[in-house]
Amino acid sequence: MRTSSGAGELLVELQRDNGVPLHQQLESAIRTRIRGGLLRADTVMPSTRALAQDLGLSRGVVVEAYQQLVAEGYLISRGGGYTQVADIAVVSPSPARPPEAGPPRIDFRYSRPDVSRFPRAAWLRSVRRVLNETPYRSLAYIDGRGTIELRTALSDYLNRVRGTAARPENMLICNGFAQGSRLLLQVLAASGRRRLAVEDPSDNDLREVAEAVGLEVVGVPVLETGIDVVALERSGADVVLVTAAHQFPTGAVASAETRAALVAWGGLVIEDDYDAEYRYDREPIGALQGLAPDRVAYAGTASKTLAPGLRLGWLILPSALVEPMTQAKLMDDRGSPVFDQLAFADFVARGEFDRHLRRMRPRYRELRDTLVERLAARLPELEPVGVSAGLHVMAYLPPDVSEEALRAAALARGLGVYGLQPYWVGGDGPAGLVFGYGSLSRKEVVEGIELLAEAVAAVRSGS
């Protein structure tokens, strides 16, 4: 039975016909929960009167059980007539686990923005407005595409800033790029698509998802002008995933000729608009989706621009995919949280998103410039490739330095660096490093490159 009186609910299992006195059953149930840590120290127990009433027992049975547990030291009787759990909870020890190595002191892991600069005050104003002004009907189950307020705010913003051809009815709000891309691949596989082409090298997370839903994955080389469309046409793929604005990890930007060839290609293009908001040497190119709305599925996210913990992402879908994607989203989680969507809609519509990005671009540019300058000064053989954009830099390693040995030498010095090998589709390509700098300070970038230079020297000397 469950009691909901007194200090709160308490689940108690009693059997009235098993021959064990009820006060002993009650003692045993409470004792077991305290020992297991399920009733923690200082938890206030329901009063004897309330617990007896809820469980259909005489008060004397509960009083006797409480008195016994007080005598054993499991409960403490406090002045004023209330009882608390004593600070002696015993939890069964877990098997010993080897100690885990701590995180690197300086970590060049990619895709980490500076969350310490999250615009809390502006976000709080949006949250307050939403809590004060949102009608109650908006808290019910919503359209699987997401709130109309956020879809409208984002379509206006993306059409203005990214050159998309978005309409609120063709947008779908998702829990980051991870969920949106997973649902999209599931829907495409169910509709008969069979082969997904990805840039080579590229992030490997989505490849595993594609294979799990039954798609064959093929790699297509990345040139300085973006994905090799001639090789794409030979690949036999009917879907391709591209990061045209700032390719991960090479940093290449698709040229006008590549973009035109992509939208003329016969399959579906999934455009991950990766790092598009951060271009430092010139204005970023517009999105592919604006050129061919019915042949490009566009994916964006607030993870790099605001914070990955928000879990806010969006898709602009070709009309034929809107209904199946809406149903897939509803089946997956019944829709993303309403208040988060409405707060973000207010944040975008009031121009706070634009202001935040304008504040962050100079900071990230300074970090990238510092990284490139220090590499040139201390490790000139590690020459960065790609344009001045985004939150990462890639550099190929010289032939006499292996990724694995360098990572180990760097980690021994408290430095986290990440190799290029996992991003080659075939698992075998030129060695290199991918530097993420978004979450670091300028001082950490400088010190990190000094440590890296030491690690390179150690690898070369064999020490």
Side-chain angles (χ1 to χ4, degrees), residues 99-139:
E100 295 183 1
R105 186 169 57 84
I106 298 175
D107 197 351
F108 280 115
R109 186 178 294 276
Y110 79 95
S111 292
R112 290 186 176 183
D114 184 357
V115 293
S116 70
R117 304 297 181 97
F118 183 83
R120 291 173 182 258
W123 188 264
L124 181 59
R125 289 193 294 269
S126 291
V127 170
R128 283 175 172 163
R129 276 189 290 266
V130 165
L131 289 173
N132 288 331
E133 300 171 11
T134 298
Y136 290 117
R137 64 178 179 274
S138 296
L139 303 182

Side-chain angles (χ1 to χ4, degrees), residues 425-447:
V425 176
D428 185 23
L433 293 180
V434 182
F435 298 90
Y437 50 80
S439 63
L440 300 177
S441 67
R442 186 179 184 279
K443 179 180 178 182
E444 287 173 324
V445 170
V446 171
E447 185 179 355

Side-chain angles (χ1 to χ4, degrees), residues 16-17 29 58 94 129 154-155 219 231 240 243 319 340 344 375 459:
R16 300 176 186 273
D17 56 357
S58 70
S94 300
R129 276 189 290 266
L154 280 174
S155 61
V240 63
T243 49
S319 299
D340 293 348
F344 190 39
L375 281 174
V459 170

